Amino acid sequence: WPKSETSYSRGDDAGGSVKKHVGQIVLKAWAFAGLLLAIAVAGVYLLRSWFFRPLSSIREGIEAIGARKFATRLPLVSNNELGRLVAAFNHSLETLQELAVAGVVQESLLSEPYAAFGRIEVAAHSQAMTNLGGDFYSLTNADGRLLAVMGDATGHGIPAALSMAMAKAIMLFEESRGVGDGSRIMEQFNAVFLSLREQGSKDFMTVMSLLVDGKTGQAELINAGHPFPLLLRQGAAEAELLSEVRGLPPGFDRRRAFAPFRVSLQPGDCLILFTDGFVENIDREGRQMGFSGLARLVAQTACSDLRQHMARIFSALDLGADQRQDDCSMLIVRFM
Amino acid sequence: MTPHRSENTPRAAFYARIYLAVALFIIPVFGFFEGLSYLATNRREVAKSLAGQELIRIRNDLQPFANEERFLINSFTDLLYRASSPEDLGKMMAGFLSNAGSAALYAVFSDAGVLCADNFANATATHELLRNSGSSLKLIVSPFDGVARDKAIDNMRLLLGRSFFAPPFGSQQQAIAGSFFHADFADDKFRVWMGRASGLTLLIKLPTSELLASRGLSTFLRQTERHQFRFAIIRNGRLCYSDFPRSLVKLAVSELARESGKEFIEAGDSLFSITRIRSDALVLVEYRLPVEKIKPGKMTAALILLAGFAFAVFLRGTRSFRVDDLSVFAQISLLLIVSAGIPLAILAGVAVDYLFNKESALIREKNHQMHEFVQTVDQSLQGEYARFTRNIRRLASEECLKPFNPVSVKELFEKTHNVLKPVYTGFHMVRLAGPGDEKLPPGKRITSMGRDGNFYGSDSAEELNVELLGDYHLAAINGMPSPETSADRIYMLEMYFQKSVNMVLADMVKSEGTLGPAGWGSMNFLLFVEVFRRAGSKLYDLFLLTALDVNGVQEKFYMEHGAAVSRNPYGFRAFIARDHVLLNDSQRDLLHRPDVKALFWRVTDYPLPEPEIVEFEGMRHLFVGLRGKKADKIRFCVLFPVENIEKQIRQEALDLFYLAAIAGFLIFLMILILHFNLLLPIGRLHQAAIALENRDASFRLPQEGSDEFAEMAAIFNASMNEFEELKIASIVQARLLPARPLVVEGYSIYGRSQPMIELGGDYFDYFLIDENRFALLLGDVAGHGVAASLIMAMAKAGVICGRELQKDPAALLMSLHNIVFGIKNKVQRKVMTFQYLMVEKDTGGLVYGNAGGCSPVMFDPQTSKITEINHAGAVLGGFKKNSYSNLQLAIGPGQAMIFYTDGLVEARNEAGQELGYDGFYSMVADSYHVDAARYHERIMRAWSAWLGSSEAGDDLTMIVMVRNN
């Protein structure tokens, strides 16, 4: 810094003082740089603790959701906007975890997917669109007879899952009392959904029951609003649609009598129950599968192993599907 | 969600905190203090430097006033020029003299020589003389020299004094005497001054004693404003005037005497300087330094106090303050202040200081440049001398060396006259006798030419002197003995030079061949001496002496080159003057330019230690006024407008400002980028988080871009979809509960369920069984959420299915147990409590079954007694083999029965206390009402009041039944 000199300093002294002055300036510059560095380090520290900690915490949350690890909870590092975001993430994780748990519970409401007794072999499969599906099936061995029930709750998600849970409750109730026949089951469905409709519920369910005698192959079908079943005769090129099997869904008619439709199964014949997700399925070309498409598909994929038959049908469905609009479930009974 | 803190060890956190405190508080405070004290020191230095300049200025201003003779002459000249008529001048003179208390006599004459005003004694012989002296005076005050003027001077002697003499004046129009003339050497009572301008002639007769007065000084002291300057005058070692205490004067004088090398002494808040105004008088000047307003220590302490106070107020406002909890915007602002604000502030301080110092440095630099400029202009005279030398030598060597004859000599002299015409005073050749000289008149060895270009007619004294010098010089050069000369002639020569003939000769030999100044008594000459050897001669036989008029040479040179000096590339205003004549300006006489004349009063012989700043043409100018070293008759004044320096500073400040503006713009850009890429998305996400907290399921975030924030928005929206589904599901679930209260004659029944989140696990119901019976039931699935709601729905379906068992609570419970237990899930095993009450309307008989539910209470308002109805039973789905039994009870008129879930009794208030059964029972007892709905409402109100601001931790369901009379 230029300094005003009011007196002339002596020559030999001047050199030394200039050198000293320069040294001081250099020292000051270093000190200034050091201080700036110290402040910058402090800034980085603050940046890390203020932004990067919460942000990395949120990032963990995103990754946890991606990896479906819903049990993860994020640490709450601050109490500002970012802290609230973390809290919201935890909330989301909680909801997702709950839905995942509900999914597990719901899955346990379905019967074992395969059973064989007497001359009957039966397989069922359900594929839900979301965590929670509205499709329902139940397989019960009632003294050598197979009681199979298939249901499809309207809508999807949690409301459908609630209907489906009630269907399971009906089945459990009846099982505990000792299963009578299909009409008894259907009466209970009717009673339950009638009661719900009276309480203002708009959700309902289509149900079909099937009772097959393990020895004779005599089958009794009762339909309540469900899609017509398919009958695949041994070696037939196309399954037969049993369009006579019809009826209103449960809860719409208080005084309805459930009269069964009887069909006699020959060895090798299959009776196929399914939900409307199949017929409404639209493939890549935009064609709806429809009843006839499904009838052909069922015949084409027929094979000796029932479970493999089921797997083929579902894989064909997957291949052709552009987007699945509804839950798809199927139940096949074969008489041998 | 419990808040987690980072897992830093407390020790590391402590060190980090100390570091932050040092880096973000102590360093800036220290920097603030350092900056302020630096600024204060600098301001002090600058103030001292300015004070030094001011002292120099005041000392220079003082000079014309300190010399009484100069002061008087200046005053008279001023009056002479200001006067519009002789009478006016007379009046002004009378005023001036009476003001000054002077006894001087004056007389004013008109252009025609008529006496117009005077204060000489009236009607005396002297006055008569005065009246008649107009024409004589007019002749004296003129440039003409001659017999008539000598006669006029003689005439005036009667009036003014017998020794009166005045040399010829400079010009016809303006004639101002430069000094007072002696009137009488023997009896030195009066001095005389005269001047003439614009047709007026002024004559002054001043008592000699008044020249020793200090009127000029007192006038100066009167004129100078005194709030910053104070003076003390010391004459003959005695303090004769002082503005400040004697002790201070003594101290300053002794300090200045001790440190003789210093121009200034700092004492207290003042700067002192001393200057000698006369041989017997000193003036001590004090400049009071301005009071420093910046006090670093106090200001830093104030800042710390202020910051501490603000921080304390802030801390009081917020209960527990953590920087982490500040809003993101506040954090970013804080970060910007720390990482950009503090360094920028320091840099700005340095820049301001730089500019501040730059001005004084530039002024110093300019001052130095001006000094060098003056020196260069002064030195350029040497070139002119060299040119003269070359010209003279060329002429001499061309012409002198030819064999001598009158024609060639005449030619040479003519040529010389043409070359040197305006400036030479004498051109002399002295020659020894040589071959070819016979034709010259014998004995005549010197040829001389005078100023007018004519040969000297007769043997003048000057010619004789030069001849003698030539003889001596040639003899010395040739190594021959000096010629014999008469003592008279040597005496004459020594008289002329005022030194011995040997010294004169030595000087001449030494400076032979160069043009140099030579003292010719009171007159100054430039002397050029050279000896030659003519053809055929073995000895130096020709002596050439040229005397040039030093004033003429210098004046001529600067007149010719003055314009070039004025047009210098540095932008300096330059004035060059000899005596009163401006050489580089069309205004030839300084009398027409009083402002420039005032500048020339400031001219010094040596450079000043501090730059001097003067007011000129209404502007502040840096000023250097020096007398020439080479051109010793010439005075130089160089000016440079301070404005230009300030302009340069302003330009630099502007450049710095642009830089600062760019830096500001960059920061602004950074803020914008932060705003759009960080703050805005965070703000939006924050909105979403608030929406989620408020359970507003309709909120959706815009999903744009592909960064983390877009990803987060997508997750948020997906989460919101799920959430919305939950909302819808909660409506669906609500429809599983009774929509209307059960209306039974003789009973008031009300039940309500309030899930903690959208979906709950509580289930209650009531319905008529037949005309005389109705049922109440209450179930509670462990946990809540979707999974619980599924079990709850199953229970509902089970109750409907078991309509044949509605009269037997134990059987119904068993069926429900089978349903819940039938869920074959092992991972998420769910259990449910359930209670069922069948009421016989007419008798008030009750049949009660319980599966692990909270025991309902019976309240009798008559006795205010609360009875718990304890009836053991395992929860639904608990164990494989469960059995349930019925309990027979009765409810009396007015009595109430209340079913509730454990969420009510297990609730904790703000203080963390659990309500407990007793607390709940007292609420039940206090809130009794015959209407079940009102009763329910009153209990819930009491419960909410107890809970305060904390939230329910579980689903809450309660059924109230009151039997009316």
Side-chain angles (χ1 to χ4, degrees), chain B residues 10 96 101 143 149 193 200 368 463 584-585 616 622 684 700 718 796 818 845 856 873 879:
Chain B
F96 174 79
R149 189 173 178 276
W193 180 88
L200 296 177
H368 184 70
E463 215 171 19
N584 66 333
D585 206 314
F616 181 71
L622 200 55
R684 277 204 211 119
R700 290 292 181 283
K796 168 86 180 179
N818 287 331
F879 309 98

PDB file of all heavy atoms in Angstrom, chain B residues 10 96 101 143 149 193 200 368 463 584-585 616 622 684 700 718 796 818 845 856 873 879:
ATOM      1  N   PRO B  10     -20.391 -36.941  20.099  1.00  0.00           N
ATOM      2  CA  PRO B  10     -20.554 -35.607  20.673  1.00  0.00           C
ATOM      3  C   PRO B  10     -19.275 -34.783  20.609  1.00  0.00           C
ATOM      4  O   PRO B  10     -19.319 -33.581  20.405  1.00  0.00           O
ATOM      5  CB  PRO B  10     -20.954 -35.901  22.127  1.00  0.00           C
ATOM      6  CG  PRO B  10     -20.998 -37.367  22.293  1.00  0.00           C
ATOM      7  CD  PRO B  10     -20.758 -38.021  20.987  1.00  0.00           C
ATOM      8  N   PHE B  96      -6.685  53.134   1.436  1.00  0.00           N
ATOM      9  CA  PHE B  96      -5.706  52.096   1.748  1.00  0.00           C
ATOM     10  C   PHE B  96      -4.746  52.560   2.832  1.00  0.00           C
ATOM     11  O   PHE B  96      -4.457  51.838   3.787  1.00  0.00           O
ATOM     12  CB  PHE B  96      -4.955  51.711   0.464  1.00  0.00           C
ATOM     13  CG  PHE B  96      -3.830  50.751   0.703  1.00  0.00           C
ATOM     14  CD1 PHE B  96      -4.085  49.392   0.875  1.00  0.00           C
ATOM     15  CD2 PHE B  96      -2.505  51.191   0.796  1.00  0.00           C
ATOM     16  CE1 PHE B  96      -3.063  48.529   1.107  1.00  0.00           C
ATOM     17  CE2 PHE B  96      -1.482  50.320   1.035  1.00  0.00           C
ATOM     18  CZ  PHE B  96      -1.753  48.978   1.184  1.00  0.00           C
ATOM     19  N   GLY B 101      -2.812  52.556   8.316  1.00  0.00           N
ATOM     20  CA  GLY B 101      -2.212  53.445   9.317  1.00  0.00           C
ATOM     21  C   GLY B 101      -0.855  53.958   8.865  1.00  0.00           C
ATOM     22  O   GLY B 101       0.073  54.088   9.648  1.00  0.00           O
ATOM     23  N   PRO B 143      10.551  53.961 -21.014  1.00  0.00           N
ATOM     24  CA  PRO B 143      11.704  53.123 -21.376  1.00  0.00           C
ATOM     25  C   PRO B 143      12.836  53.912 -22.016  1.00  0.00           C
ATOM     26  O   PRO B 143      13.873  53.334 -22.319  1.00  0.00           O
ATOM     27  CB  PRO B 143      11.095  52.110 -22.351  1.00  0.00           C
ATOM     28  CG  PRO B 143       9.908  52.768 -22.918  1.00  0.00           C
ATOM     29  CD  PRO B 143       9.432  53.784 -21.945  1.00  0.00           C
ATOM     30  N   ARG B 149      15.925  62.381 -20.018  1.00  0.00           N
ATOM     31  CA  ARG B 149      15.443  61.628 -18.848  1.00  0.00           C
ATOM     32  C   ARG B 149      16.333  61.934 -17.643  1.00  0.00           C
ATOM     33  O   ARG B 149      15.825  62.128 -16.533  1.00  0.00           O
ATOM     34  CB  ARG B 149      15.443  60.136 -19.183  1.00  0.00           C
ATOM     35  CG  ARG B 149      14.764  59.313 -18.113  1.00  0.00           C
ATOM     36  CD  ARG B 149      14.626  57.889 -18.561  1.00  0.00           C
ATOM     37  NE  ARG B 149      14.005  57.094 -17.495  1.00  0.00           N
ATOM     38  CZ  ARG B 149      14.653  56.554 -16.480  1.00  0.00           C
ATOM     39  NH1 ARG B 149      15.966  56.691 -16.408  1.00  0.00           N
ATOM     40  NH2 ARG B 149      14.011  55.884 -15.555  1.00  0.00           N
ATOM     41  N   TRP B 193       8.445  55.275  -4.740  1.00  0.00           N
ATOM     42  CA  TRP B 193       7.982  54.248  -5.712  1.00  0.00           C
ATOM     43  C   TRP B 193       7.084  54.922  -6.721  1.00  0.00           C
ATOM     44  O   TRP B 193       6.361  55.878  -6.406  1.00  0.00           O
ATOM     45  CB  TRP B 193       7.211  53.155  -4.990  1.00  0.00           C
ATOM     46  CG  TRP B 193       6.703  52.077  -5.919  1.00  0.00           C
ATOM     47  CD1 TRP B 193       7.377  50.979  -6.300  1.00  0.00           C
ATOM     48  CD2 TRP B 193       5.419  52.011  -6.540  1.00  0.00           C
ATOM     49  NE1 TRP B 193       6.624  50.221  -7.141  1.00  0.00           N
ATOM     50  CE2 TRP B 193       5.405  50.824  -7.311  1.00  0.00           C
ATOM     51  CE3 TRP B 193       4.280  52.836  -6.544  1.00  0.00           C
ATOM     52  CZ2 TRP B 193       4.300  50.435  -8.068  1.00  0.00           C
ATOM     53  CZ3 TRP B 193       3.197  52.448  -7.289  1.00  0.00           C
ATOM     54  CH2 TRP B 193       3.194  51.245  -8.046  1.00  0.00           C
ATOM     55  N   LEU B 200      -2.549  56.460 -15.997  1.00  0.00           N
ATOM     56  CA  LEU B 200      -2.422  57.046 -14.670  1.00  0.00           C
ATOM     57  C   LEU B 200      -1.009  56.843 -14.158  1.00  0.00           C
ATOM     58  O   LEU B 200      -0.422  55.784 -14.353  1.00  0.00           O
ATOM     59  CB  LEU B 200      -3.402  56.383 -13.701  1.00  0.00           C
ATOM     60  CG  LEU B 200      -4.890  56.577 -14.005  1.00  0.00           C
ATOM     61  CD1 LEU B 200      -5.721  55.802 -13.016  1.00  0.00           C
ATOM     62  CD2 LEU B 200      -5.234  58.058 -13.940  1.00  0.00           C
ATOM     63  N   HIS B 368       5.464  14.319  -9.714  1.00  0.00           N
ATOM     64  CA  HIS B 368       6.810  13.927 -10.114  1.00  0.00           C
ATOM     65  C   HIS B 368       7.011  14.171 -11.615  1.00  0.00           C
ATOM     66  O   HIS B 368       8.016  14.732 -12.036  1.00  0.00           O
ATOM     67  CB  HIS B 368       6.998  12.448  -9.773  1.00  0.00           C
ATOM     68  CG  HIS B 368       8.370  11.943 -10.043  1.00  0.00           C
ATOM     69  ND1 HIS B 368       9.450  12.323  -9.284  1.00  0.00           N
ATOM     70  CD2 HIS B 368       8.830  11.106 -10.994  1.00  0.00           C
ATOM     71  CE1 HIS B 368      10.528  11.740  -9.762  1.00  0.00           C
ATOM     72  NE2 HIS B 368      10.174  10.989 -10.796  1.00  0.00           N
ATOM     73  N   GLU B 463      36.445  47.915 -25.201  1.00  0.00           N
ATOM     74  CA  GLU B 463      37.358  47.382 -26.210  1.00  0.00           C
ATOM     75  C   GLU B 463      38.759  47.202 -25.646  1.00  0.00           C
ATOM     76  O   GLU B 463      39.429  46.198 -25.888  1.00  0.00           O
ATOM     77  CB  GLU B 463      37.384  48.314 -27.423  1.00  0.00           C
ATOM     78  CG  GLU B 463      37.534  47.530 -28.706  1.00  0.00           C
ATOM     79  CD  GLU B 463      37.350  48.413 -29.933  1.00  0.00           C
ATOM     80  OE1 GLU B 463      37.470  49.642 -29.807  1.00  0.00           O
ATOM     81  OE2 GLU B 463      37.063  47.848 -30.996  1.00  0.00           O
ATOM     82  N   ASN B 584       5.217  32.311 -23.324  1.00  0.00           N
ATOM     83  CA  ASN B 584       4.553  31.336 -24.195  1.00  0.00           C
ATOM     84  C   ASN B 584       3.078  31.628 -24.332  1.00  0.00           C
ATOM     85  O   ASN B 584       2.266  30.762 -24.508  1.00  0.00           O
ATOM     86  CB  ASN B 584       4.761  29.909 -23.673  1.00  0.00           C
ATOM     87  CG  ASN B 584       4.064  29.717 -22.348  1.00  0.00           C
ATOM     88  OD1 ASN B 584       3.869  30.681 -21.606  1.00  0.00           O
ATOM     89  ND2 ASN B 584       3.678  28.492 -22.068  1.00  0.00           N
ATOM     90  N   ASP B 585       2.743  32.904 -24.239  1.00  0.00           N
ATOM     91  CA  ASP B 585       1.331  33.241 -24.339  1.00  0.00           C
ATOM     92  C   ASP B 585       1.231  34.547 -25.093  1.00  0.00           C
ATOM     93  O   ASP B 585       2.118  35.385 -25.021  1.00  0.00           O
ATOM     94  CB  ASP B 585       0.758  33.383 -22.919  1.00  0.00           C
ATOM     95  CG  ASP B 585      -0.725  33.102 -22.918  1.00  0.00           C
ATOM     96  OD1 ASP B 585      -1.416  33.627 -23.807  1.00  0.00           O
ATOM     97  OD2 ASP B 585      -1.166  32.329 -22.049  1.00  0.00           O
ATOM     98  N   PHE B 616      -7.192  27.482  -9.697  1.00  0.00           N
ATOM     99  CA  PHE B 616      -6.852  28.268 -10.882  1.00  0.00           C
ATOM    100  C   PHE B 616      -7.995  28.158 -11.857  1.00  0.00           C
ATOM    101  O   PHE B 616      -8.461  27.053 -12.165  1.00  0.00           O
ATOM    102  CB  PHE B 616      -5.552  27.736 -11.512  1.00  0.00           C
ATOM    103  CG  PHE B 616      -5.109  28.506 -12.714  1.00  0.00           C
ATOM    104  CD1 PHE B 616      -4.608  29.796 -12.587  1.00  0.00           C
ATOM    105  CD2 PHE B 616      -5.214  27.959 -13.987  1.00  0.00           C
ATOM    106  CE1 PHE B 616      -4.208  30.510 -13.698  1.00  0.00           C
ATOM    107  CE2 PHE B 616      -4.811  28.677 -15.098  1.00  0.00           C
ATOM    108  CZ  PHE B 616      -4.303  29.952 -14.961  1.00  0.00           C
ATOM    109  N   LEU B 622      -3.114  20.738  -9.737  1.00  0.00           N
ATOM    110  CA  LEU B 622      -1.828  20.352  -9.183  1.00  0.00           C
ATOM    111  C   LEU B 622      -0.819  21.347  -9.750  1.00  0.00           C
ATOM    112  O   LEU B 622      -0.872  21.670 -10.944  1.00  0.00           O
ATOM    113  CB  LEU B 622      -1.510  18.937  -9.652  1.00  0.00           C
ATOM    114  CG  LEU B 622      -0.490  18.144  -8.879  1.00  0.00           C
ATOM    115  CD1 LEU B 622      -0.902  18.091  -7.423  1.00  0.00           C
ATOM    116  CD2 LEU B 622      -0.436  16.742  -9.436  1.00  0.00           C
ATOM    117  N   ARG B 684     -42.468 -27.190  -4.070  1.00  0.00           N
ATOM    118  CA  ARG B 684     -43.601 -27.984  -4.572  1.00  0.00           C
ATOM    119  C   ARG B 684     -43.735 -29.266  -3.767  1.00  0.00           C
ATOM    120  O   ARG B 684     -44.833 -29.643  -3.354  1.00  0.00           O
ATOM    121  CB  ARG B 684     -43.375 -28.318  -6.039  1.00  0.00           C
ATOM    122  CG  ARG B 684     -43.802 -27.189  -6.948  1.00  0.00           C
ATOM    123  CD  ARG B 684     -44.117 -27.755  -8.317  1.00  0.00           C
ATOM    124  NE  ARG B 684     -43.809 -26.773  -9.320  1.00  0.00           N
ATOM    125  CZ  ARG B 684     -42.923 -26.945 -10.282  1.00  0.00           C
ATOM    126  NH1 ARG B 684     -42.259 -28.079 -10.372  1.00  0.00           N
ATOM    127  NH2 ARG B 684     -42.709 -26.010 -11.156  1.00  0.00           N
ATOM    128  N   ARG B 700     -51.829 -33.293  -6.617  1.00  0.00           N
ATOM    129  CA  ARG B 700     -50.874 -33.970  -7.510  1.00  0.00           C
ATOM    130  C   ARG B 700     -49.758 -33.003  -7.877  1.00  0.00           C
ATOM    131  O   ARG B 700     -50.003 -31.805  -8.017  1.00  0.00           O
ATOM    132  CB  ARG B 700     -51.542 -34.437  -8.806  1.00  0.00           C
ATOM    133  CG  ARG B 700     -52.505 -35.583  -8.630  1.00  0.00           C
ATOM    134  CD  ARG B 700     -51.788 -36.876  -8.250  1.00  0.00           C
ATOM    135  NE  ARG B 700     -52.720 -37.976  -8.099  1.00  0.00           N
ATOM    136  CZ  ARG B 700     -53.504 -38.161  -7.044  1.00  0.00           C
ATOM    137  NH1 ARG B 700     -53.458 -37.318  -6.033  1.00  0.00           N
ATOM    138  NH2 ARG B 700     -54.321 -39.192  -6.986  1.00  0.00           N
ATOM    139  N   ALA B 718     -47.609 -41.387  -7.238  1.00  0.00           N
ATOM    140  CA  ALA B 718     -48.011 -42.783  -7.102  1.00  0.00           C
ATOM    141  C   ALA B 718     -48.528 -43.019  -5.684  1.00  0.00           C
ATOM    142  O   ALA B 718     -49.570 -43.637  -5.477  1.00  0.00           O
ATOM    143  CB  ALA B 718     -46.815 -43.692  -7.382  1.00  0.00           C
ATOM    144  N   LYS B 796     -67.978 -58.960   9.510  1.00  0.00           N
ATOM    145  CA  LYS B 796     -69.299 -58.477   9.107  1.00  0.00           C
ATOM    146  C   LYS B 796     -70.041 -59.574   8.338  1.00  0.00           C
ATOM    147  O   LYS B 796     -71.220 -59.867   8.614  1.00  0.00           O
ATOM    148  CB  LYS B 796     -69.124 -57.216   8.252  1.00  0.00           C
ATOM    149  CG  LYS B 796     -70.351 -56.748   7.512  1.00  0.00           C
ATOM    150  CD  LYS B 796     -71.203 -55.859   8.384  1.00  0.00           C
ATOM    151  CE  LYS B 796     -72.455 -55.398   7.623  1.00  0.00           C
ATOM    152  NZ  LYS B 796     -73.314 -54.567   8.445  1.00  0.00           N
ATOM    153  N   ASN B 818     -64.072 -69.387  13.989  1.00  0.00           N
ATOM    154  CA  ASN B 818     -63.686 -70.285  12.906  1.00  0.00           C
ATOM    155  C   ASN B 818     -63.282 -69.500  11.653  1.00  0.00           C
ATOM    156  O   ASN B 818     -62.355 -69.875  10.944  1.00  0.00           O
ATOM    157  CB  ASN B 818     -64.820 -71.253  12.585  1.00  0.00           C
ATOM    158  CG  ASN B 818     -64.948 -72.303  13.676  1.00  0.00           C
ATOM    159  OD1 ASN B 818     -63.963 -72.635  14.325  1.00  0.00           O
ATOM    160  ND2 ASN B 818     -66.160 -72.785  13.910  1.00  0.00           N
ATOM    161  N   GLY B 845     -83.676 -58.120  29.879  1.00  0.00           N
ATOM    162  CA  GLY B 845     -82.746 -59.228  30.077  1.00  0.00           C
ATOM    163  C   GLY B 845     -81.665 -59.208  29.009  1.00  0.00           C
ATOM    164  O   GLY B 845     -81.905 -58.849  27.853  1.00  0.00           O
ATOM    165  N   PRO B 856     -67.440 -54.204  29.026  1.00  0.00           N
ATOM    166  CA  PRO B 856     -68.346 -53.061  28.976  1.00  0.00           C
ATOM    167  C   PRO B 856     -68.726 -52.645  30.389  1.00  0.00           C
ATOM    168  O   PRO B 856     -68.516 -53.397  31.331  1.00  0.00           O
ATOM    169  CB  PRO B 856     -69.546 -53.573  28.200  1.00  0.00           C
ATOM    170  CG  PRO B 856     -69.498 -55.046  28.350  1.00  0.00           C
ATOM    171  CD  PRO B 856     -68.098 -55.452  28.578  1.00  0.00           C
ATOM    172  N   GLY B 873     -63.159 -64.709  27.822  1.00  0.00           N
ATOM    173  CA  GLY B 873     -63.291 -65.410  26.550  1.00  0.00           C
ATOM    174  C   GLY B 873     -62.084 -65.102  25.709  1.00  0.00           C
ATOM    175  O   GLY B 873     -61.587 -63.976  25.739  1.00  0.00           O
ATOM    176  N   PHE B 879     -56.609 -69.198  19.468  1.00  0.00           N
ATOM    177  CA  PHE B 879     -56.184 -70.607  19.599  1.00  0.00           C
ATOM    178  C   PHE B 879     -57.129 -71.480  18.807  1.00  0.00           C
ATOM    179  O   PHE B 879     -58.267 -71.110  18.523  1.00  0.00           O
ATOM    180  CB  PHE B 879     -56.185 -71.014  21.065  1.00  0.00           C
ATOM    181  CG  PHE B 879     -55.431 -70.059  21.936  1.00  0.00           C
ATOM    182  CD1 PHE B 879     -56.092 -69.081  22.653  1.00  0.00           C
ATOM    183  CD2 PHE B 879     -54.039 -70.129  22.011  1.00  0.00           C
ATOM    184  CE1 PHE B 879     -55.398 -68.190  23.430  1.00  0.00           C
ATOM    185  CE2 PHE B 879     -53.353 -69.247  22.803  1.00  0.00           C
ATOM    186  CZ  PHE B 879     -54.017 -68.276  23.508  1.00  0.00           C
TER     187      PHE B 879
END
